[in-house]
Amino acid sequence: MSAGVRRVALLAEVLLVGVLVCAAALPVLTAVPALAAGAVLLRELVDEGRTPTARRFALLLGRALRDPAAVLVPLAVLVVGALDLLALAGGLPGATVLGPVIGLVLAAVVLVLLRTAARWRPGDRWAVLLASPPRDPGGYAYLVGAVAVAVLVVGQAPAFAIVVPGLLVFAAVAVERR
């Protein structure tokens, strides 16, 4: 297979993973396991040449969801974020200072969850992975750039929201492998 064909095939497979991750993450609570399943698919593609399939994705998603922490952690982030927004909207004293701080903390938590999902492998315990997040500031900076580009792309062309999760998973796996 020529290099050009291989690049196009890789792009198509990343976009397929994006659609699968987007569909599986719609309930929001399954976002982290969906990202993890997508990361495994991309690692298998690069390491073994294994073409991603919906069946394999569903199997990996099921394995990622077996650990209760996979759903409880996103639920906790959603609840804390919603309560913080409610407090800020309700006139919390010091909201002008606390608002940006809370936003940065929630963004940092999302980046940690994205990097943790990129490290997950079938059989790993989510609590163990979350207890030892990567301490690599450069990797987080790369992911901030990837998220910023994703937000810009979706802002300009909302139809790309369907495939952007695959690109973010691709970026997270690349950051973990560098």
Side-chain angles (χ1 to χ4, degrees):
M1 182 182 298
S2 72
V5 171
R6 183 66 200 139
R7 281 188 215 122
V8 171
L10 177 61
L11 175 63
E13 290 160 341
V14 168
L15 296 178
L16 170 65
V17 168
V19 170
L20 294 171
V21 169
C22 184
L26 282 177
V28 180
L29 295 180
T30 58
V32 175
L35 291 166
V40 171
L41 283 180
L42 290 177
R43 281 195 306 270
E44 289 175 350
L45 171 66
V46 172
D47 294 342
E48 305 162 17
R50 186 177 189 170
T51 302
T53 63
R55 176 176 287 176
R56 177 76 176 141
F57 179 81
L59 175 74
L60 291 167
L61 181 63
R63 291 184 73 186
L65 285 168
R66 285 185 188 152
D67 188 350
V71 175
L72 293 177
V73 169
L75 177 63
V77 171
L78 281 174
V79 167
V80 168
L83 290 175
D84 288 342
L85 286 174
L86 185 63
L88 292 172
L92 177 73
T96 56
V97 174
L98 288 177
V101 171
I102 290 169
L104 287 173
V105 169
L106 287 174
V109 168
V110 168
L111 289 174
V112 168
L113 290 175
L114 183 58
R115 289 202 64 187
T116 300
R119 291 177 22 222
W120 181 84
R121 287 176 170 49
D124 285 353
R125 304 265 317 147
W126 284 103
V128 172
L129 289 173
L130 288 167
S132 60
R135 303 190 194 296
D136 169 27
Y140 289 107
Y142 287 136
L143 275 185
V144 166
V147 169
V149 168
V151 167
L152 286 172
V153 167
V154 171
Q156 293 298 312
F160 279 101
I162 296 169
V163 294
V164 160
L167 300 174
L168 289 176
V169 170
F170 187 70
V173 169
V175 164
E176 293 306 315
R177 291 192 152 214
R178 65 181 173 83

